[in-house]
């Protein structure tokens, strides 16, 4: 994991190298200061000239200024690197999430994915920018100081640096346990997000059932847990950093104590001892920070794991390396013995069907019989586990996803609208469409009259998921959005369930002109909608139970016949009357012309 | 409340490209993400303090231990100075060839050790108690916000995106928590600054004065820097919220994105905003990094001054070397707190802004609320009257235009009508999601505004047009309306709606976990579950808003048969577009544009040959037309 994070940073070698150079520079100059100060002390004690002092002061100034410049470079470059890594990661996650097919997203929570792309990326950035570079700086300072100290007095140096292994060991231990807690904290945070998000998105359900108290309790459990975990983290972290400081102070004490002995033994001058103390002063800051870095590090490891889980996820639906571009098809759709399962339980069993170009195919069946699944296989939202699906004779697995999907327009059962204007929503699949195109599609979908009456017309903002629209309006918007794409294969998945019969009738008439030359799949429960189809398929538990035209199916004693009896039969007289009326009207019309 | 730039530019309008301004200004005065205000806002601070109050003990403890810690930090260079004094003496003795000991040093070392130990303990206590206080505050803030969100009426949610509210509950709360830590650590910074200044003056007044001359310069530079940086940091905040909004939208709408082939466009847009974020950050960091060399150089100047002036005095013998060392040590420590304080300046502003937003949210008036003297609605029989009710969501557009209706206990009433006629709105009013603007709704004679919302909700159950399920097990979802329901009750409800069969076929049966919004079920199955969820609490009034729209007529008839037994004698309101669903209703109410066109039983309305009859005929006209070519075939 660590290596991979490093790898992400190494994508920007120039920035990294420059940052390290700046870091080496600033550390080197930082290391020079104590030496100068030590010399100053000895010179004062030795009673030198004032001029020498001036020179020393000037040198200190110069060295510090240079150090400042390098420090600037270091800070800026490391932030730059960190931001670049974050940028790359966000793009990678976003790009990947866009390409991962439905079954990946079925399994996951929006909130969780969000927190990976935000909080986790931030954790990595923090680490690259702070930890990765800082850690090197600490090592440099510690080893640099160690080297210089050894040159002066190795005994003291040993004492002064005795704390390094202790700190290193402790840090390793602590980072392990922190990592576990961080994993837990990240997970719990995700849970909190989910509870809150669902509560807010499902606000009407919560209200309708007066379940506020229940929700509050649910939330309470999670946030209590979260805050306890956070306290645990800071306990460990603070104990660790206090401990590091303690050890460090002990080292300072040790140096003074044994330094005293050395002075007594004449092996050390007070100036050199001062130098020691200043050296420790220089590494004090970084050492203090090492506690934080360890925390960052642990967190980044957990975060990295979560991010790479997304980035590495194999998409369940993949393009072949030699996939070709599918041209605009005529609309011959064929399923050959197709089977499919979301999990272990098969959902489609050996489905075969064929739609000729221009035909209207209706799918019917009980909830969960597999209608939506059938149509979702055509644009390869999911991959059939057995059998073969062809469009105009081409296996859909042989072509690129984009070209395939531009041939299939699907108005989904579960309408999702973006919180944007009506116009933007209609043109979503074809950004840059003209207003005329948008209006035309909206007219066909029988939405135009409603929109035209609104004060802001097509610029009216629809709330999140289209909350400010009625169910039927949402569905018609989704139909308009699909029609605008002008696909040779059109799928309407229960797209008129919330539309009244009158409007639906108009919609169907308007669609008829649009459907010409298009293969259309219609899923519906109202027989008035499906009756006119060229082919009606009744699905039962994942296989095709009945197949034929309305008249053929009414003769059989299957589910279709039952539906027919429930919906239409009691009104056969009414229908007859209607037919009479219509016939009369059309005859009148003929007579007139 | 601060003036807000309308959230649109920041969060919502981010990625859809333009158009964001078309929204009405009925939104909350929630400020733009990037807005930075003053560093200190009295109201925010006092309110925040009220959250700290319950943790008084811990807070005081944290402050005290912080004081002690600061003291030990300031004391350390002093102790080192004492040690060096001893060492220099010793050094001189050695030079003079006298017998030297480290006896006096031992005493200093004991001091040192004590100081060290005290610091270890106090620092630990300080940090941990601080963490506990701030987590405590965080916890109660979250509880309070969540609780308030439970009371805000649905109209609030029509106007405000979930993502945005979420960011109040998460980012802003985190900011405030951060703020608490900051206050304490800034206090520590100020204290240690003060301590250091005092120490410097105690050591040597003249040298202290000379050293401190750099301070005004530093402060001046900081102030100028602050001015320049202000706008930059604001842009960074805006940039990140745009990125997040874009992400959120794409993740939740991923299915649409893929089905409409928008991946490329979206990727480009995302890259754009991502890049904008990168640029904004780099710009900001160029600025913030510029502070480093300045501070370093000023530190160097101060140290240089100490070396020159202190050195001269030391050479003249008027000053101890140890004083110089202590000075240098102090100066090195001096600039840290100053730098922290400047860095924290923006953090303070941010926290204040978050505070304003959070308390703004908490102060958002609840539009639909219980009256002071609201009573609990006693168990009702289910007589409902609507008396001249009117309602609008947006002022110009009246959605319900004066409706009078009486529903007898035990009746089944059906609402039919064109899409957008106001059917869903009517039942939302009945549930008191919104308050009517005129007229009144009564249940068993009680005006629904005179009873508590909770008691009202408990007597009604609703199947919403859009079946929303929670992630959790199937049985948890069914039992949502009655959390203490036994397994048998859950199964019974599932059986009533005919969901039992498919549930038992799932791998874990009733314990099968549903994904977000029930994504792993078919839409019809989701509808069945939300139906079962409404039935389980055995409500007096049942509202079905297109509850069977996605269900075939056969399954529907099974449900209806089961329901007639279970629901005998209860009032139900049914909205449906499939007219076969409602043919047998006791009363059919035909709505158009928010008004009642006609009402009566199916046969009454058919005989009246009005709008309903026309709708009914259209309903079958399609079917009829389909028959013409095959049967009547009257050449066209
Ligand atoms: N939250 C809202 N904010 C603003 N306008 C709304 C809101 N909800 C609904 N509307 C508008 O009010 C009108 C009535 O909507 P309602 O949902 O009551 O219709 P409906 O009769 O249930 O239609 P459908 O059969 O399509 O569900 C519609 O024009 C709709 O756009
Ligand atoms: N994303 C998914 N993950 C797992 N199982 C699923 C998923 N989507 C659907 N299923 C299951 O597959 C079966 C078929 O579902 P499908 O959505 O195709 O039904 P449908 O015929 O369209 O039903 P409806 O009329 O209710 O829309 C159901 O049993 C359902 O529970
Ligand atoms: Mg379906």
């Amino acid at each position: 994991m660590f290596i991979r994070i490093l790898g992400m940073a190494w994508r920007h070698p120039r920035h990294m190298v420059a940052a390290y150079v700046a870091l080496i520079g600033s550390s080197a100059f930082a290391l020079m200061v104590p030496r100068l100060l030590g010399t100053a002390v000895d010179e004062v004690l030795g009673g030198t000239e004032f001029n020498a002092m001036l020179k020393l002061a000037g040198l200190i100034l110069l060295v510090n200024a240079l150090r400042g410049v390098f420090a600037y470079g270091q800070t800026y470059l490391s932030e730059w690197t960190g931001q670049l890594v974050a940028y790359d990661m966000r793009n990678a996650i976003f790009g990947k999430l866009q390409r991962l097919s439905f079954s990946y997203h079925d399994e996951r929570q929006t909130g969780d994915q969000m927190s990976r792309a935000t909080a986790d990326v931030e954790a990595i950035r923090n680490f690259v920018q702070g930890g990765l570079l800082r850690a090197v700086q600490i090592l440099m300072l510690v080893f640099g100081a160690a080297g210089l100290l050894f040159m002066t007095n190795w005994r003291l140096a040993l004492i002064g640096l005795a704390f390094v292994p202790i700190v290193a060991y402790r840090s390793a231990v602590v980072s392990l346990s922190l990592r576990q807690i961080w994993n837990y904290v990240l997970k719990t945070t995700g849970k909190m997000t989910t509870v809150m998000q669902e509560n807010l998105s499902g606000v009407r359900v919560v209200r309708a059932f007066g379940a506020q108290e229940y929700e509050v309790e649910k939330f309470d459990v999670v946030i209590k847990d979260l805050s306890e975990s956070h306290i645990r983290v800071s306990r460990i972290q603070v104990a660790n950093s206090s401990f590091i400081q303690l050890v460090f102070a002990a080292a300072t004490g040790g140096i003074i104590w044994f330094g005293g002995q050395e002075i007594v033994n004449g092996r050390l001058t007070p100036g050199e001892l001062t130098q020691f103390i200043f050296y420790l002063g220089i590494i004090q800051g970084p050492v203090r920070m090492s506690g934080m870095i360890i925390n960052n590090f642990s967190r980044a490891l957990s975060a990295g794991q979560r991010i790479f889980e997304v980035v590495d996820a194999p998409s369940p639906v993949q393009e072949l390396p030699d996939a070709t571009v599918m041209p605009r098809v005529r609309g011959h759709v064929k399923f050959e013995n197709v089977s499919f399962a979301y999990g272990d339980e098969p959902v489609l069993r050996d489905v075969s069907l064929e739609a000729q170009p221009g035909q209207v195919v209706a799918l019917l069946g009980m909830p969960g019989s597999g209608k939506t699944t059938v149509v979702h296989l055509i644009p390869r939202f999911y991959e059939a586990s057995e059998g073969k699906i062809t469009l105009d004779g081409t296996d859909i697995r042989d072509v690129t996803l984009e070209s395939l999907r531009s041939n299939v327009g699907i108005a989904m059962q579960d309408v999702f609208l973006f919180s944007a204007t009506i116009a933007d929503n209609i043109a979503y699949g074809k950004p840059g469409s003209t207003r005329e195109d948008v209006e035309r599609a909206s007219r066909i979908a029988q939405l135009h009259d409603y929109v035209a009456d609104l004060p802001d017309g097509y610029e009216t903002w629809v709330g999140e998921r289209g909350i400010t629209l009625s169910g039927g309006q949402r569905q018609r918007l989704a139909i308009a959005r699909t029609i605008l794409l002008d696909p040779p294969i059109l799928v309407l998945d229960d797209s008129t369930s919330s539309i009244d019969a009158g409007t639906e009738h108009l919609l169907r008439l308007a669609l008829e002109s649009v459907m010409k030359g298009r293969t259309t799949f219609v899923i519906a429960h109202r027989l008035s909608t499906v009756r006119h189809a060229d082919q009606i398929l009744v699905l039962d538990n994942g296989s095709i139970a009945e197949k034929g035209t309305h008249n053929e199916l009414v003769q059989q004693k299957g589910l279709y016949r039952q539906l027919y009896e429930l919906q239409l039969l009691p009104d056969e007289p009414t229908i007859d009357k209607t037919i009479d009326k219509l016939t009369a009207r059309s005859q009148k019309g003929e007579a007139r012309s | 409340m601060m003036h807000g730039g309308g959230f649109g530019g920041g969060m919502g309008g981010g990625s859809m490209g333009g158009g964001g301004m078309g929204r009405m200004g009925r939104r909350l005065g929630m400020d733009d993400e990037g807005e930075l205000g003053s560093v200190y806002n009295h109201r925010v601070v006092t309110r925040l303090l009220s959250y700290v109050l319950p943790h008084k003990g811990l807070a005081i403890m944290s402050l005290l231990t912080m004081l002690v810690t600061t003291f030990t930090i300031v004391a350390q260079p002093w102790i080192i100075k004492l040690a060096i004094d001893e060492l220099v003496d010793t050094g001189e003795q050695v030079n003079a060839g006298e017998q030297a000991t480290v006896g006096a040093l031992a005493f200093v070392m004991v001091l040192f050790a004590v100081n060290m130990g005290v610091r270890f303990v106090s620092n630990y206590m300080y940090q941990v108690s601080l963490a506990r206080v701030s987590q405590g505050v965080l916890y109660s803030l979250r509880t309070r916000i969540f609780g308030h969100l439970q009371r805000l009426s649905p109209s609030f949610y029509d106007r405000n995106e979930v993502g945005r509210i979420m960011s109040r509950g998460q980012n802003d709360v985190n900011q405030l928590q951060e703020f608490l830590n900051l206050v304490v650590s800034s206090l520590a910074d100020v204290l240690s600054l003060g301590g250091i200044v005092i120490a410097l003056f105690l050591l040597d007044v003249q040298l202290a004065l000379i050293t401190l001359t750099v301070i005004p310069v530093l402060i001046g530079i900081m102030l100028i820097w602050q001015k320049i940086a202000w706008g930059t940091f604001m842009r960074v905040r805006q940039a990140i919220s745009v990125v997040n909004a874009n992400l959120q939208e794409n993740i939740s709408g991923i299915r649409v994105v893929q089905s409409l082939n928008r991946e490329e466009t979206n990727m480009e847009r995302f890259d754009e905003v991502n890049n904008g974020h990168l640029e904004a950050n780099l710009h900001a960091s160029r600025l913030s990094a510029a502070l480093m060399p300045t501070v370093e150089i000023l530190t160097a100047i101060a140290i240089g001054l100490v070396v020159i002036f202190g050195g001269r005095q030391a050479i003249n013998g008027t000053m101890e070397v140890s004083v110089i060392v202590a000075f240098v040590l102090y100066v090195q420590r001096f600039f840290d707190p100053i730098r922290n304080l400047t860095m924290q300046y923006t953090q303070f502003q941010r926290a204040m802004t978050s505070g304003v937003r959070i308390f703004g949210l908490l102060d958002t008036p609840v539009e639909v609320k219980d009256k002071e003297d609201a009573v609990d609605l006693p168990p009702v029989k289910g007589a409902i009257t609507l008396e001249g009710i009117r309602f609008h969501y947006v002022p110009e557009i009246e959605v319900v235009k004066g409706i009078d209706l009486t529903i007898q206990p035990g009746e089944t009433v059906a609402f039919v009508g064109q899409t957008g006629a106001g059917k869903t709105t009517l039942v939302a009013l009945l549930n008191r999601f919104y308050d009517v603007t005129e007229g009144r709704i009564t249940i068993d004679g009680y005006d629904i505004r005179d009873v508590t919302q909770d008691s009202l909700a408990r007597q009604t159950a609703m199947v919403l047009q859009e079946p929303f399920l929670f992630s959790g097990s199937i049985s948890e979802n069914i039992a949502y309306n009655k959390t203490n329901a036994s397994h048998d009750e859950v199964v019974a409800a599932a059986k009533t709606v005919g969901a039992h069969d498919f549930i038992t076929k799932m791998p874990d049966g009733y314990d099968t976990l549903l994904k977000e919004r029930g994504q792993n079920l078919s839409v019809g199955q989701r509808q069945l579950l939300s139906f079962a969820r409404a039935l389980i609490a055995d409500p007096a009034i049942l509202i079905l808003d297109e509850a069977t729209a996605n269900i075939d007529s056969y399954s529907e008839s099974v449900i209806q048969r089961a329901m007639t037994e279970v629901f005998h004698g209860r009032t139900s309101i049914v909205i449906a577009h499939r007219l076969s669903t409602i043919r047998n209703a006791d009363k059919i109410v035909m709505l158009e544009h928010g008004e009642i066109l006609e009402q009566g039983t199916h046969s009454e309305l058919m005989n009246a040959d009005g709008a309903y009859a026309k709708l009914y005929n259209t309903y079958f006209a399609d079917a009829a037309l389909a028959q013409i070519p095959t049967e009547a075939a009257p050449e066209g």
Side-chain angles (χ1 to χ4, degrees), chain A residues 576-589:
Chain A
D576 288 342
K577 246 202 305 204
T578 314
I579 291 171
D580 288 344
K581 261 192 217 158
L582 284 168
T583 316
R585 208 180 298 154
S586 65
Q587 277 167 352
K588 240 187 269 164

Side-chain angles (χ1 to χ4, degrees), chain A residues 204 450 454 466-474 476 498-500, chain B residues 26 154-155 158-159 391-394 397-400 417-427 434 465 545-546 575 577 591:
Chain A
R204 280 162 194 258
Y450 162 71
L454 293 170
I467 185 82
T468 56
L469 298 177
S470 82
Q473 286 158 354
R474 279 200 286 270
R476 282 176 289 159
S498 296
I499 300 176
D500 60 289
Chain B
R26 288 208 313 153
S155 60
D158 295 349
R159 296 193 296 270
F391 177 73
H392 57 72
Y393 293 101
V394 188
I397 313 170
E398 186 133 78
V399 175
V400 176
Q418 271 195 342
T419 83
K423 306 178 290 292
T424 300
T425 307
L426 266 188
V427 294
Y434 307 87
Q465 192 165 10
D545 189 357
E546 297 186 30
I575 298 176
H577 287 299
L591 288 172

Side-chain angles (χ1 to χ4, degrees), chain A residues 324-353:
Chain A
T324 54
V325 172
M326 177 175 258
R328 190 179 167 87
V329 296
R330 285 172 48 245
H332 182 259
V333 182
K334 193 165 175 194
F335 278 55
E336 293 172 37
N337 307 94
V338 171
S339 298
F340 175 77
Y342 289 101
D344 300 328
E345 195 64 21
V347 170
L348 293 184
R349 301 186 180 87
D350 211 17
V351 170
S352 295
L353 65 88

Side-chain angles (χ1 to χ4, degrees), chain A residues 110 196-197 199-204 415-421 425 461-469 474, chain B residues 11-12 23 27 156-166 244-245 248-250 252-253 466 468 517:
Chain A
T110 313
M196 190 155 169
Q197 185 158 326
N199 173 274
L200 300 180
S201 326
V203 63
R204 280 162 194 258
V415 176
F416 182 94
L417 300 178
F418 294 92
S419 104
T421 64
N425 264 302
W461 196 268
V462 302
E464 195 162 42
R465 285 173 183 261
I467 185 82
T468 56
L469 298 177
R474 279 200 286 270
Chain B
M11 194 85 180
R23 269 177 295 178
R27 300 248 162 140
F156 174 82
Y157 296 93
D158 295 349
R159 296 193 296 270
N160 297 287
E161 279 117 42
V162 170
R164 195 143 55 99
I165 307 170
M166 293 286 295
N244 288 351
Q248 167 93 41
E249 181 180 288
N250 272 282
S252 42
E466 198 181 0
F468 184 94
R517 288 174 178 261

